[in-house]
């Protein structure tokens, strides 16, 4: 009986394992190998250059600009998105005196906030291109309508404003999803905890800080990992929205865009693979650090 169950498990898992190796692990292995060559994407034997491609990354000023911009996005996009998502989710639960029952029409608000998730990032980027248009865009038009003509700008053409404008789009497109996610996490908190806080005379902020936030910490941690990965990418929005793309003057350059340009414009597939491997390890490190920090907090709480 035991051997029959073992054969069944092996027969069930082996096809999935083979598919995983062929379609997931194998491309990773090929990318790692190509990063050690000077392959140009043309059929033929690639010359092995070892760590030469990685050494070039440190002297590539455009790649360093991309690393800097991705670091700024990593610092801003997850924190702002999570803060807004938690704020909106909490506001939807302040209608009841127990601190948990949703306000009237909370479901409708969630649908409205979630709406950007129904659009692909490319569509979102195109829409926001029209919003940021310096001549007849919605943003400058609104500023002119209220007499603030002096604040109108070429939002995507000024180096100091281009990256914040792109980050604003990433945040806008993501915050609705995480608001719904945090709302579901708050709904899962036992009602008795909110009632106990209310009986103790805790204010709304004290209840959020002492009850809500600690009990949605795991959800916030997962959100940070996903948003961090999105911030280390940013390719689709930058490709569509930015001047250049990646401009002006590299102000919106990101690693994914440098990778794409080197591979499909310059034919430097080996060098582009080295960028991809560097991005892979940066993303992996971020996820491991976030998960480790979350586990450490749980151990300390225990």
């Amino acid at each position: 009986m035991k051997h029959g169950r073992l054969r069944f498990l092996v027969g069930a898992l082996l096809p999935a394992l083979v598919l995983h190796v062929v379609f997931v692990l194998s491309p990773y292995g090929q990318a790692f190998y190509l990063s050690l060559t000077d392959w140009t994407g043309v059929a033929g034997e690639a010359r092995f250059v070892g760590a030469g491609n990685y050494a070039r990354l440190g002297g590539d000023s455009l790649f360093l600009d991309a690393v800097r911009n991705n670091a700024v996005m990593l610092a801003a996009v997850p924190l702002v998105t999570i803060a807004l998502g938690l704020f909106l989710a909490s506001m939807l639960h302040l209608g009841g005196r127990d601190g948990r029952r949703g306000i009237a029409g909370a479901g409708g608000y969630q649908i409205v906030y979630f709406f950007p998730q129904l659009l692909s990032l490319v569509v979102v980027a195109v829409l926001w291109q029209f919003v940021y248009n310096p001549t007849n865009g919605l943003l400058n038009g609104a500023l002119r309508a209220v007499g603030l003509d002096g604040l109108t700008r070429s939002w995507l053409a000024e180096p100091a404003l281009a990256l914040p404008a792109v980050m604003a789009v990433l945040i806008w497109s993501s915050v609705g999803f995480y608001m719904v996610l945090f709302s579901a996490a708050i709904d899962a908190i036992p009602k008795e905890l909110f009632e106990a806080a209310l009986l103790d005379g805790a204010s709304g902020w004290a209840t959020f800080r002492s009850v809500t936030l600690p009990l949605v910490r795991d959800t916030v941690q997962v959100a940070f990992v996903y948003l961090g990965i999105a911030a280390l990418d940013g390719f689709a929005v930058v490709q569509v929205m930015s001047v250049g793309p990646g401009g002006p003057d590299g102000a919106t350059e990101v690693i994914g865009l440098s990778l794409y340009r080197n591979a499909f414009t310059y034919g430097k597939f080996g060098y582009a693979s080295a960028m991809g491997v560097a991005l892979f390890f940066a993303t992996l490190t971020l996820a491991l650090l976030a998960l480790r920090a979350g586990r450490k907090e749980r151990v300390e709480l225990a």
Side-chain angles (χ1 to χ4, degrees):
M1 184 71 179
K2 183 177 179 181
H3 293 294
R5 186 173 64 175
L6 180 61
R7 284 195 298 269
F8 171 77
L9 291 175
V10 171
L13 295 177
L14 189 60
L17 181 61
V18 171
L19 290 174
H20 183 77
V21 170
V22 172
F23 293 107
V24 178
L25 298 184
S26 174
Y28 277 118
Q30 293 178 39
F32 293 152
Y33 169 73
L34 289 177
S35 71
L36 303 176
T37 71
D38 64 351
W39 188 51
T40 61
V42 180
E45 187 172 338
R47 185 168 60 92
F48 185 80
V49 296
N53 287 328
Y54 295 98
R56 287 176 58 192
L57 293 177
D60 188 336
S61 60
L62 196 58
F63 177 76
L64 295 178
D65 285 341
V67 172
R68 179 201 63 204
N69 293 335
N70 275 120
V72 172
M73 292 168 65
L74 180 60
V77 172
L79 294 180
V80 175
T81 304
I82 289 172
L84 287 174
L86 280 173
F87 173 76
L88 294 173
S90 300
M91 290 298 101
L92 292 179
H93 290 79
L94 290 180
R97 286 183 56 80
D98 61 7
R100 193 183 121 174
R101 189 168 61 249
I103 63 174
Y109 286 117
Q110 290 183 358
I111 292 173
V112 172
Y113 291 140
F114 190 80
F115 178 74
Q117 290 295 312
L118 303 179
L119 306 175
S120 72
L121 270 179
V122 174
V123 173
V124 168
V126 171
L127 290 175
W128 276 87
Q129 268 190 320
F130 290 109
V131 173
Y132 286 136
N133 188 292
T135 305
N136 53 11
L138 181 62
L139 181 54
N140 281 349
L143 291 173
R144 293 188 186 101
V146 296
L148 298 176
D149 300 59
L151 296 180
T152 59
R153 295 287 187 275
S154 295
W155 301 98
L156 297 175
E158 296 186 18
L161 298 175
L163 186 61
V166 170
M167 289 192 294
V169 175
L170 289 172
I171 293 168
W172 178 85
S173 66
S174 302
V175 71
F177 173 82
Y178 291 98
M179 182 273 297
V180 173
L181 181 67
F182 296 146
S183 231
I186 293 173
D187 285 335
I189 298 175
K191 179 180 177 181
E192 293 77 12
L193 297 178
F194 292 103
E195 292 175 344
L198 180 64
L199 291 174
D200 288 340
S203 64
W205 167 246
T207 301
F208 173 79
R209 187 182 68 249
S210 303
V211 178
T212 305
L213 188 57
L215 294 176
V216 300
R217 190 182 301 275
D218 287 346
T219 307
V220 170
Q221 175 189 327
V222 172
F224 180 82
V225 172
Y226 278 106
L227 285 166
I229 293 172
L232 288 174
D233 179 18
F235 167 77
V237 174
V238 171
Q239 171 75 1
V240 174
M241 291 183 62
S242 63
V243 179
D249 298 329
T252 58
E253 185 75 16
V254 292
I255 297 174
L257 188 59
S258 288
L259 187 159
Y260 174 84
R261 185 187 300 110
N262 276 279
F264 297 103
T265 301
Y266 305 143
K268 300 177 181 178
F269 280 83
Y271 187 47
S273 296
M275 292 183 181
V277 171
L279 182 59
F280 166 79
F281 281 110
T283 305
L284 182 63
T285 301
L286 169 70
L288 290 177
L289 289 176
L291 294 174
R292 185 177 180 83
R295 191 174 78 173
K296 182 178 179 181
E297 288 174 356
R298 286 194 293 272
V299 170
E300 289 176 349
L301 289 172

